[in-house]
Amino acid sequence: MFDSYSKYVSLGEGGLPCNAIGWVLSTLLKPFGRKMEYDQDSNIDTWLGEIPERRDARPPLGWHPIPHRQLAQPPDDAMKKKLQVLFDSIGKKNSTLVESRVSPHEGHGTYLAYTFILPSLPHMNHIHTPDRSLHVVLAPQDCKQVIEKGWGERHPFSGARRVISLPKEYLMIYGPRDDEELAIIERILKADVGHMTNNREVI
């Protein structure tokens, strides 16, 4: 039990309090996760186009569903900065579509994760400060491709609306380790913004 609690606290802030109350809630919520078959979705639109397979095995994740964190294969400091610059740049270049705010899912205390969000739309995406993984919302067929090619995976509660209000297309994207991976992350982020705003002119 203590080991489970220690691992939970080591994940840092995000979604639930980083204390015993958060640990209990996260542990109790874990059985309510669900599987999702995106290839059965009637929405066949794609915003991403073809992407290559990600090299190496998927990084392990924390056992607790909240906070949802990547435990290995982290970007180095230089890549962390590049990712943030990219994220901010997409927001600025598409300022008629989106704006950057503190994430409603991740904004505990001094922990900040920036999100593109419109008043009329649900939460779109954010970066996790500790590991630089991301949460995004993609079109169902783009979700399928991203998962199959190893770039990310479903949040355990995607589509489990009785537990937490996350769309079924809510994915974790692993943090980029080099410029090639950053280029794919850029495409994924633009596909996210395009899908969520229904706009094919995202730059």
Side-chain angles (χ1 to χ4, degrees):
M1 183 178 294
F2 180 76
D3 181 61
S4 173
Y5 176 70
S6 297
K7 288 179 178 178
Y8 171 79
V9 172
S10 72
L11 298 174
E13 295 280 3
L16 292 172
C18 190
N19 56 29
I21 294 174
W23 169 69
V24 169
L25 290 172
S26 184
T27 302
L28 292 175
L29 286 171
K30 186 174 176 66
F32 293 94
R34 58 179 296 187
K35 295 180 67 176
M36 189 62 58
E37 300 294 339
Y38 295 110
D39 54 359
Q40 298 176 8
D41 198 288
S42 60
N43 181 355
I44 60 173
D45 290 342
T46 178
W47 301 78
L48 182 57
E50 287 293 319
I51 57 174
E53 290 190 9
R54 181 181 182 272
R55 72 178 191 278
D56 300 329
R58 298 176 188 273
L61 303 186
W63 181 86
H64 298 85
I66 303 175
H68 195 207
R69 295 292 184 265
Q70 174 181 333
L71 300 182
Q73 303 177 10
D76 60 24
D77 289 343
M79 186 53 57
K80 289 178 181 179
K81 291 179 181 178
K82 287 184 178 182
L83 176 61
Q84 190 64 59
V85 168
L86 169 65
F87 200 90
D88 294 341
S89 174
I90 292 174
K92 291 175 182 177
K93 289 178 180 178
N94 299 280
S95 60
T96 60
L97 298 174
V98 295
E99 62 185 52
S100 184
R101 297 181 181 177
V102 176
S103 167
H105 294 332
E106 299 287 341
H108 283 283
T110 58
Y111 179 82
L112 301 179
Y114 297 95
T115 182
F116 302 140
I117 191 167
L118 289 174
S120 60
L121 292 174
H123 183 275
M124 293 174 69
N125 55 47
H126 57 254
I127 299 173
H128 301 131
T129 300
D131 57 357
R132 292 313 194 273
S133 64
L134 305 92
H135 279 145
V136 303
V137 181
L138 299 174
Q141 302 312 311
D142 291 337
C143 289
K144 182 174 184 289
Q145 181 182 194
V146 163
I147 293 170
E148 288 179 348
K149 293 187 175 177
W151 292 96
E153 57 191 83
R154 285 184 55 255
H155 189 286
F157 295 141
S158 296
R161 294 189 179 274
R162 292 184 180 180
V163 180
I164 186 171
S165 183
L166 293 179
K168 61 184 175 64
E169 301 87 3
Y170 194 80
L171 302 187
M172 168 186 271
I173 305 299
Y174 310 130
R177 296 168 291 177
D178 56 33
D179 288 337
E180 290 184 7
E181 292 190 355
L182 185 66
I184 301 300
I185 299 301
E186 179 177 6
R187 291 178 58 185
I188 290 172
L189 283 170
K190 289 179 178 179
D192 174 13
V193 175
H195 165 61
M196 293 297 287
T197 61
N198 194 32
N199 191 296
R200 296 281 180 181
E201 305 301 323
V202 175
I203 56 176

